[in-house]
Amino acid sequence: MGEGAVIPARLASRAPPPDLPQQAAHMSPSRNRALFSAVTEIVQTFSHIAWVPVWMFFLVSSMGTVGCKAETEPPPPTWHADVRPIIAQSCVHCHNTEGGLTSIALDTYEDAHDWQVAIGAAVAARTMPPWNAEEGCNRYEDDFSLAQDEIDTIVAWVEAGGPEGDRDDAAPTVDPWSPPTLDRVDITLQMPMPYTAKGSPDDYRCFIVEWPAEDDLWVTAFEIVPDNTDVVHHVVPFIISPEDVDAFRQMDADEEGEGYTCYGGPGGDVLTLIQTRWLGSWTPGSGAMALPDGHGLHIEPGSVIVMQMHYNAPGDDVQPDQSAINVRVEAEAHKEAQIYRWAEIPWLFGEGMDIPANTVGVEHTFSYTQRDFDKTYTIHTVMPHMHTMGRSIDIRVFHPDGTETCLLHEPNYDFDWQRTYWLKEPLTIEEGDVSEVHCVWDNPTDQDVQWGEGTVDEMCLAVLFVTEEGG
């Protein structure tokens, strides 16, 4: 599954309709290739939607598969010899019986056999594992997507009815993929008190967290840990320099209750969103980030961290949240790192990113040309961000010599599986380079949509970790 990924409870807990198990039990188990093809078509059809209901997978998995094969065909793949090593490496990290991110466990033959058709359809459609970057655009660290031969093996196993094989033929498994974690936690910054989200349905709340160090420090790694993922839509911690702290404390004091309203940026407007330094960000699918050796985010003594929490909490039974940030720090001076946001400024003010009601395939593009007076910088990571209407996003750089570098192309963007992609080969932006972001949306609602912070609004931006002066 995804890097530090969290499946929202609203998805993981979706149960099949009450009578579906009984209905499925009476369906014929004689459908194999035809059934698999039909299910794959369903998954591909809905792949641009943020989720496919778990009950749909329950239905198709309950049908089972059997079939006859010609005697001249080679023996089909088996669980122990062929399929288990693939599942163990790329899937079991999330799909397990010991605290996985979903109720669907795949760490035993019995579990996987029950879900075989859903597994085959999902891997064939490349919706699982949820690695959305298109192959061939760029190369990334920690790529846990399946190779085509691995997909073919799983599909062939499903079409054969999911044979177990002989346990004595079990192939050795490699270490399973797991998301990056911090090698140590030096400081934990947590919201001062639990907070119960309000609003209908979006609640933007900022909380001041004291920075405890009395000396200059450089943050070299961080991990944002959302507490209540049922309601947390995104988290952006901002670094507030000592000279600006009083103004933010006043905003906090002027409003009753825990924290203060901060729609837009930490100062309650779009300008502070753009101008204030970020200490990372979290959206569904995000995880820990370690900066390249020798680089860090400088934090002075007397600074504070403002955690901007965007809650999306429709309904009445809302549980409190007390999210936190874990950081690794160094006392030795490091080269300055930054988190850049590629965004079209007029869009932030409601100009130009119109997505009309009841439309499909609405496209908008913006670009920026690197000038000779701009700082040269090297891109190490790229993370796309849209909201739930986003269908696809493309981020690339056009060079003066006529060549181009594709940083990221997600043809099936999924809000619930956003991630930060680490480039295997960082890209330095030179004079004359043109950076471009292209977004596509489907708007099935009766409301026109523009840029906005709310879940029902939309965005189109790239979040980049960069090192300045060529890295």
Side-chain angles (χ1 to χ4, degrees), residues 81-388:
D82 306 289
V83 176
R84 178 176 172 269
I86 301 172
I87 300 295
Q89 181 177 13
S90 297
C91 309
V92 167
H93 174 75
C94 292
H95 291 276
N96 63 74
T97 54
E98 299 179 359
L101 297 178
T102 170
S103 60
I104 303 172
L106 301 178
D107 43 2
T108 69
Y109 170 71
E110 291 74 19
D111 290 332
H113 187 269
D114 290 343
W115 290 97
Q116 59 177 289
V117 177
I119 294 170
V123 300
R126 292 188 178 273
T127 58
M128 285 286 162
W131 182 269
N132 296 326
E134 185 175 63
E135 186 177 4
C137 168
N138 210 310
R139 296 187 306 123
Y140 311 98
E141 303 287 353
D142 300 315
D143 183 349
F144 56 83
S145 59
L146 299 184
Q148 188 59 50
D149 62 330
E150 295 175 315
I151 293 174
D152 294 342
T153 295
I154 293 175
V155 168
W157 177 70
V158 172
E159 291 179 340
E164 179 179 9
D166 192 333
R167 291 180 182 272
D168 293 336
D169 294 335
T173 58
V174 300
D175 291 335
W177 178 89
S178 60
T181 57
L182 300 186
D183 57 356
R184 70 174 194 269
V185 176
D186 296 321
I187 299 173
T188 295
L189 306 165
Q190 189 173 37
M191 291 166 47
M193 295 288 289
Y195 175 76
T196 301
K198 305 174 181 63
S200 181
D202 294 287
D203 183 7
Y204 288 82
R205 202 75 178 172
C206 278
F207 302 90
I208 295 177
V209 182
E210 303 298 328
W211 178 252
E214 298 180 357
D215 299 301
D216 288 273
L217 291 177
W218 279 259
V219 173
T220 59
F222 55 82
E223 180 180 23
I224 299 171
V225 186
D227 176 34
N228 183 356
T229 55
D230 287 347
V231 299
V232 177
H233 176 287
H234 80 239
V235 185
V236 180
F238 295 91
I239 303 170
I240 307 301
S241 300
E243 62 271 18
D244 298 322
V245 167
D246 287 346
F248 285 88
R249 291 196 190 279
Q250 188 61 51
M251 282 187 285
D252 189 28
D254 288 344
E255 192 164 333
E256 293 183 1
E258 293 297 325
Y260 62 94
T261 304
C262 57
Y263 185 90
D269 55 34
V270 173
L271 287 179
T272 55
L273 175 69
I274 300 169
Q275 297 172 349
T276 311
R277 288 193 302 149
W278 292 23
L279 177 58
S281 64
W282 181 91
T283 52
S286 300
M289 176 182 286
L291 281 58
D293 291 344
H295 293 85
L297 300 168
H298 180 216
I299 301 184
E300 304 173 75
S303 300
V304 299
I305 306 301
V306 170
M307 290 180 62
Q308 185 195 53
M309 306 295 302
H310 174 187
Y311 296 108
N312 180 249
D316 299 324
D317 185 22
V318 179
Q319 299 301 308
D321 172 73
Q322 194 173 9
S323 296
I325 315 164
N326 294 326
V327 297
R328 184 186 72 194
V329 297
E330 303 287 351
E332 181 181 352
H334 284 57
K335 292 182 181 178
E336 186 69 23
Q338 298 285 349
I339 296 175
Y340 279 11
R341 284 80 65 194
W342 280 355
E344 179 75 339
I345 301 302
W347 293 359
L348 278 65
F349 297 93
E351 298 180 10
M353 202 189 82
D354 300 313
I355 308 172
N358 300 302
T359 53
V360 174
V362 177
E363 303 182 30
H364 288 292
T365 303
F366 69 88
S367 61
Y368 170 76
T369 302
Q370 183 79 1
R371 305 298 184 185
D372 58 359
F373 52 79
D374 293 324
K375 290 183 178 180
T376 299
Y377 59 94
T378 297
I379 300 172
H380 297 269
T381 73
V382 56
M383 186 193 84
H385 183 63
M386 307 165 75
H387 288 179
T388 57

